[in-house]
Amino acid sequence: MKTARSKDGTMLAYDVHGSGPALIYITGASCFRSFKPIRQDAREFAKEFTVYSYDRRGRGDSGDTPPYSVEREVDDIEAMIDAAGGRANLYGHSSGAVLALEAALRLGDKVNRVVMYDPAYVHDEAEKLTYGQLGQKVQKLLDGGKNKEAMISFLKGIGMPGIFVWLLPLFPGWKTMVALAPTLAYDIALTRDLPPVDRAAQVAVPTQVIVGEKSPAGMRDVAGQLTKAIPGARFELLAGQDHMVSAKALLPVLSRFLKQ
């Protein structure tokens, strides 16, 4: 484990895998760097890149400094880029893709290229309403110290299959997931609004938007909106993949775009 410090003093834990161009891996909700699927992703990406896999603030071995803001999470990404030598590519998944977009807007020349997979904004006003209700339910549970219930409610609310949610407590990382449940409020804050197409039009970093062929229709809609808004953005529909994308299927796409 290595550590870096963000601008507000928050300690960030990260691992480095592989060799090649630097790639900062920005995970989505309920993920942390030692979670088995994330470790597997990082090792697969390490076949082509030097992968910086870090615990977002409030997760795993990283610290946290209230109050939360998107700007502070972007500062965390900047700290990881600095740890990687001052410039890096970004790969963000789900709410991590939202952060990758924000970093592209705010960090300028420090970002070489950006790949977003299934950026998890709400896609229309109806979803914004129902997601807002889910956010209120999750926050009430968190305020009551009911982390387990909050995590389960969130995962069910975003459409994770019931059988998978039922099996999660059997996974080795479940206790850590429950411990990081308060960060669900961070992910909800990132994804509760419609895609910021006006701001996305200001992105000057080469960008690729990828969505799974089997991902929810709303995510495919969001991916289309962002691709149209971001100047010169590339789009790819990844055949056979859903929101839990296979790193083996994704790696050739990352390599083609990021190694140009």
Side-chain angles (χ1 to χ4, degrees):
M1 183 182 80
K2 298 178 181 293
T3 61
R5 288 201 177 273
S6 195
K7 286 182 179 178
D8 66 359
T10 300
M11 187 275 287
L12 304 171
Y14 69 97
D15 297 322
V16 183
H17 306 268
S19 60
L23 178 66
I24 312 299
Y25 182 11
I26 311 169
T27 58
S30 75
C31 293
F32 51 99
R33 81 184 201 290
S34 58
F35 191 30
K36 185 175 179 180
I38 301 303
R39 291 202 312 268
Q40 292 172 336
D41 288 352
R43 288 169 181 166
E44 185 68 23
F45 299 154
K47 294 177 181 178
E48 300 282 346
F49 301 96
T50 302
V51 181
Y52 290 76
S53 179
Y54 75 105
D55 285 330
R56 285 172 52 190
R57 60 175 52 217
R59 307 178 184 210
D61 295 310
S62 287
D64 201 1
T65 306
Y68 175 78
S69 71
V70 176
E71 291 78 12
R72 288 188 174 193
E73 284 232 65
V74 173
D75 288 344
D76 298 347
I77 295 170
E78 184 174 20
M80 296 310 307
I81 294 174
D82 290 343
R87 288 179 63 90
N89 299 302
L90 305 181
Y91 165 61
H93 175 265
S94 194
S95 62
V98 173
L99 285 171
L101 177 62
E102 290 295 327
L105 285 164
R106 299 167 191 264
L107 299 182
D109 291 342
K110 286 194 168 186
V111 178
N112 290 325
R113 289 175 176 253
V114 171
V115 176
M116 295 184 283
Y117 186 90
D118 277 8
Y121 299 99
V122 297
H123 80 286
D124 62 17
E125 291 293 341
E127 187 182 16
K128 183 175 181 179
L129 176 61
T130 58
Y131 191 63
Q133 293 169 342
L134 174 63
Q136 291 175 358
K137 179 180 180 181
V138 169
Q139 190 61 59
K140 184 176 181 180
L141 289 168
L142 292 174
D143 291 343
K146 298 179 178 180
N147 285 10
K148 177 181 176 181
E149 292 84 352
M151 181 63 72
I152 290 172
S153 293
F154 177 78
L155 294 175
K156 287 183 176 179
I158 63 173
M160 184 172 285
I163 185 63
F164 187 73
V165 176
W166 184 81
L167 289 172
L168 267 177
L170 303 178
F171 283 44
W174 173 244
K175 289 184 178 179
T176 304
M177 288 182 69
V178 170
L180 59 79
T183 65
L184 292 174
Y186 303 172
D187 293 285
I188 291 169
L190 288 169
T191 57
R192 66 191 173 195
D193 292 319
L194 298 170
V197 291
D198 290 343
R199 294 181 64 240
Q202 302 171 27
V203 172
V205 177
T207 301
Q208 182 165 40
V209 182
I210 308 172
V211 66
E213 179 187 29
K214 297 181 180 180
S215 293
M219 286 187 169
R220 297 198 301 272
D221 182 23
V222 167
Q225 292 182 50
L226 290 174
T227 302
K228 290 179 181 178
I230 298 170
R234 297 188 183 184
F235 173 82
E236 181 147 350
L237 183 71
L238 199 54
Q241 297 300 307
D242 57 20
H243 191 58
M244 302 307 292
V245 60
S246 161
K248 289 184 178 180
L250 185 59
L251 182 58
V253 183
L254 291 178
S255 186
R256 284 196 301 271
F257 180 67
L258 297 178
K259 287 191 168 183
Q260 292 182 5

